[in-house]
Each structure stands twice: as structure tokens, then as C-alpha cells.
Amino acid sequence: MALKANPIWGYAKTPHFHVGLPDLGPRPCGFALDFRGLNKWECSCVGVLAQTPQRAITPVEDEKPSHDMESSGAIQRPFDMESTGFHKDMNLLPKPLSSTELSSSSCDGSKVRVAYQGIPGAYSESAARKAYPKCETVPCEQFEAAFKAVELWLVEKAVLPIENSVGGSINRNYDLLLRHRLHIVGEVQLVVNHCLLGLPGVRKEELKRVLSHPQALAQCEMTLSMLGIARVNADDTAGAAQLVSASGERDTGAVASAEAAKIYGLDILAEKIQDDDDNITRFLILAREPIIAGTDRPYKTSIVFTLEEGPGMLFKALAVFALRDINLTKIESRPQRKRPLRVVDDSNKGSAKYFDYLFYIDFEASMAEGRAQHALGHLQEFAGFLRVLGCYPMDTIS
């Protein structure tokens, strides 16, 4: 029997059902879970070796790595920064990685290299610097390019948004979490303060249109309506500031960060123009290897799973956490791509069709705790597929 190091949590449902799984006594935490013979886990923990026979992992369509990068929906930026003579230093800014330009690069190891989606001045860059104050940030054109940058060893980490307190979940990144084999090793909560930006010397009353990301525009709806400004969608907030700076159009502004104003030579015409002062975006920190969970501070665990068809299955799945006094902080459902429907012939009148969903859950507990291990052992009774995306320290607003 060979020793095998398993970098990913995974679980494949076998065709049997247990009425209940009693909580076992405390066990040393190495993530090598047994659950009294239920040896269906593949565990992710650095340096943990498990003696396991060859196992089949239930395939989920979204989990399969994608070899073809999707085309970018970014707004074209036809401006020649050198010829315009406007803020020429922008030529010195790091160029975003495109999904087709990912190639090997050297890293002297003196700094942590962190990928983010967008260009310099983006809120994602601010989140990366909050997590790693001395890091070297690497801009990427797309979310998937940031995932690829970590996988190809171009960077050590990626910081990507997953939800906003006003705009809700970033569904694209939930789908990419399953498609790629990265691990969540941390989270960052960033207070978002939108600013109205314009060319130097312009007053806000002169603006006729404003560019920004659709979510940023929606979060500033009341202020922009009072000013009577037309909204134009852009690929991201910092990109909108760059466009305004390069175009030289005095009647065009942008909604972006104060940092973007500094980078692209714009004036801040108004600060904190968002409708809701409690505008917070939560970012995930992704890495190639998981961290070893502890109990020295509050931890959060993120999982994804599917459920077998039947009445009350979701209730039973959630109950395994309530029974152990584990608080759920997030639940999100996403359809299984390429397999959105299941057909069940449960009557004489024909077949019924049901949507097939993946469930993403965050809960407040460390995988070093017995209650978290027992909860997931209990959950496997109802799950057709189960994967731990990461166990990481919780972040607080500061």
C-alpha cells in the first residue's frame, strides 16, 4: 500500500445510507479523518500522508479545469498614453496580465507577489495591500487570469472579491473556485469609499457623464441621480479613471477610489458618494497550498457540496452544523454547469425535472476542532460530492 499525499479535500458518495453518525471523542488533528471506517475523504494538509487505496472522486462538471481561457469583456482602451501627453507616468505602471500572456517569470523571493483583477488603483489592489502591506501586486485583466497566475507559479497569492454587502455575491468567482485547484488561505474585508473624479480644474456640475463598473454606479445611484449625470459602464473602477485621464474630456468623470485619482492625475470632486455608508467588500486570498488550521484564533471554513434528491435534504445538511453549535456565515447556491437539470421518473404521469445545484457554505469553526470534523462526517451522509475549499483565519474590519 503506497503512501500518498493528497492536496485536495474531496469525497465520493457510496451507495449506502447511515441513519446517524455519533460524535467521536477528540482526535489529533492532521486532517486524516477516518470517521470509523468511512474512508471516503481526500484531505488537504501540508505534509500529511494518508495510506489509502485508489479512490474514485465523483466528477462535477464545474470542477474540471478549463484549458481554454474565456475572452475578456474589457472596454477597449485605444488611447496612446505617450501621444496624449497626459499623465505620461502611466506608461510606467505594471501592465495587466492577459489570459493569453501567462508565461514564466522570475521572482527573487524578496516580496510576496499577489495577483488581483484590474489595474493599479483598483479596490482589489487595496485589499491585497491590506493583507500583505509589503507585497508586490500583479494586475490581471480577468479573474481567471489571476487564478492561472497562481497555478503557473507567477505569483504566490491571489486576492479576489467574493461578495459585497450591497451588491451581493460575485458569482463568477464562485464558479472559478470549483474549476481551479487553489486553496482559500485567508480573507480580507475592505470598506469601499467611492469618489467622484474629474480632470483637474473641472467642477462636478460640469459633468455630463460618468464611467465606472456597473456595481459601483448602482451603489452611487442617489448621488448621481441628484447631479443628473448619465452613467456609462466600464470594465472596472480604476479602468474608468484611466479612460477619463487619457481622453481629456472635461464633461466626463469617473467613480473610483482616491488612490485611482492619485495614480491617474484626477481631482476628487466628491468623496464617499455611495448610498450606503456600510459598503464592504469581502475578498478571498488564494494559494497553491492550504494552511495548517489551528485553534489559536477564530477560523472560518469554506466548503462546496451537492445533495442527493429527496425531501428535506438541504434541511438535514444544514442541521449537522446547528446540532454542533456551528454558526453559518454564508450560503450560496450555483447551478451545475453543463448539467443543470436532473430528470426523476417518480410518478405514472411522466418525468419531473429538477435543477441541480452546488451549495457553497462558510462556517465559523476550524478543521482542527472535533466538532467541525464530525459535522463534515455527518454531512457526507447526504452529500453526493463534498470538497473543503479552505480553512483560514477570519478577518475583521479595521
Side-chain angles (χ1 to χ4, degrees):
M1 186 176 294
L3 291 177
K4 180 182 177 183
N6 298 312
I8 298 294
W9 282 84
Y11 154 72
K13 181 73 174 180
T14 53
H16 64 85
F17 183 85
H18 295 278
V19 176
L21 179 68
D23 282 356
L24 309 180
R27 293 169 175 259
C29 178
F31 291 110
L33 306 185
D34 177 49
F35 295 115
R36 291 188 177 179
L38 298 179
N39 56 347
K40 293 169 285 184
W41 290 94
E42 284 196 6
C43 309
S44 62
C45 184
V46 178
V48 175
L49 298 178
Q51 293 187 2
T52 56
Q54 189 66 31
R55 301 172 189 155
I57 301 299
T58 304
V60 176
E61 292 297 333
D62 290 308
E63 190 187 18
K64 297 176 181 178
S66 174
H67 299 290
D68 297 327
M69 303 296 290
E70 296 183 12
S71 60
S72 171
I75 288 181
Q76 298 296 321
R77 300 182 176 90
F79 305 100
D80 185 341
M81 301 302 176
E82 201 66 48
S83 62
T84 59
F86 202 96
H87 201 69
K88 295 181 181 180
D89 288 343
M90 283 190 290
N91 290 310
L92 303 178
L93 295 173
K95 181 181 178 182
L97 292 174
S98 68
S99 51
T100 57
E101 293 172 339
L102 295 175
S103 59
S104 60
S105 65
S106 60
C107 179
D108 60 9
S110 60
K111 290 184 178 180
V112 176
R113 289 170 56 85
V114 182
Y116 68 93
Q117 188 275 328
I119 63 174
Y123 291 108
S124 293
E125 185 185 36
S126 299
R129 294 194 183 281
K130 180 185 177 184
Y132 303 99
K134 296 183 180 180
C135 72
E136 177 185 351
T137 55
V138 179
C140 300
E141 287 186 349
Q142 306 165 2
F143 290 133
E144 189 155 19
F147 277 83
K148 288 283 188 180
V150 180
E151 291 176 331
L152 297 177
W153 295 74
L154 301 181
V155 298
E156 287 72 50
K157 303 286 192 299
V159 173
L160 296 168
I162 197 66
E163 61 178 326
N164 177 265
S165 58
V166 177
S169 298
I170 313 296
N171 292 330
R172 176 62 176 157
N173 283 336
Y174 272 107
D175 295 338
L176 290 174
L177 280 174
L178 189 62
R179 181 176 299 179
H180 295 269
R181 292 287 187 170
L182 299 182
H183 302 269
I184 304 173
V185 297
E187 66 175 358
V188 181
Q189 298 191 59
L190 184 73
V191 177
V192 176
N193 289 319
H194 292 307
C195 299
L196 182 62
L197 311 181
L199 293 174
V202 171
R203 295 180 296 108
K204 62 183 179 181
E205 291 79 14
E206 298 178 49
L207 298 181
K208 295 181 180 179
R209 68 187 66 85
V210 65
L211 309 178
S212 195
H213 187 276
Q215 279 205 10
L217 295 175
Q219 292 166 13
C220 305
E221 177 70 25
M222 293 177 60
T223 300
L224 298 179
S225 295
M226 286 189 296
L227 292 173
I229 301 175
R231 285 73 131 183
V232 179
N233 291 341
D235 192 49
D236 55 66
T237 55
Q242 185 186 54
L243 283 171
V244 172
S245 177
S247 69
E249 297 180 4
R250 297 179 61 82
D251 61 352
T252 302
V255 173
S257 66
E259 182 66 18
K262 184 188 305 182
I263 292 174
Y264 301 109
L266 300 177
D267 284 353
I268 298 177
L269 309 182
E271 295 186 77
K272 296 184 178 180
I273 64 172
Q274 64 269 15
D275 300 338
D276 191 339
D277 289 336
D278 296 325
N279 187 2
I280 299 168
T281 299
R282 175 172 167 248
F283 296 80
L284 297 180
I285 305 172
L286 304 176
R288 289 180 294 274
E289 300 292 339
I291 62 173
I292 299 176
T295 57
D296 56 323
R297 57 183 295 185
Y299 273 76
K300 185 181 290 186
T301 301
S302 297
I303 63 173
V304 57
F305 60 92
T306 61
L307 291 173
E308 302 293 347
E309 184 60 40
M313 294 302 288
L314 182 57
F315 169 79
K316 295 175 183 177
L318 300 181
V320 306
F321 301 100
L323 289 172
R324 294 165 178 85
D325 198 29
I326 296 176
N327 184 43
L328 302 184
T329 60
K330 173 75 173 178
I331 180 169
E332 183 76 26
S333 62
R334 294 289 298 152
Q336 290 198 47
R337 298 177 64 184
K338 300 182 181 179
R339 197 171 58 186
L341 294 175
R342 69 172 73 178
V343 179
V344 181
D345 191 1
D346 55 0
S347 69
N348 294 328
K349 298 181 180 179
S351 299
K353 291 185 177 180
Y354 300 92
F355 286 97
D356 222 357
Y357 285 99
L358 292 156
F359 295 96
Y360 293 81
I361 283 182
D362 297 338
F363 60 86
E364 293 180 346
S366 169
M367 286 306 300
E369 299 179 59
R371 60 174 184 157
Q373 298 177 21
H374 299 318
L376 295 189
H378 196 172
L379 177 60
Q380 67 180 343
E381 298 182 15
F382 319 113
F385 164 82
L386 174 60
R387 176 177 157 194
V388 175
L389 298 171
C391 181
Y392 46 94
M394 294 175 56
D395 183 44
T396 56
I397 300 297
S398 61

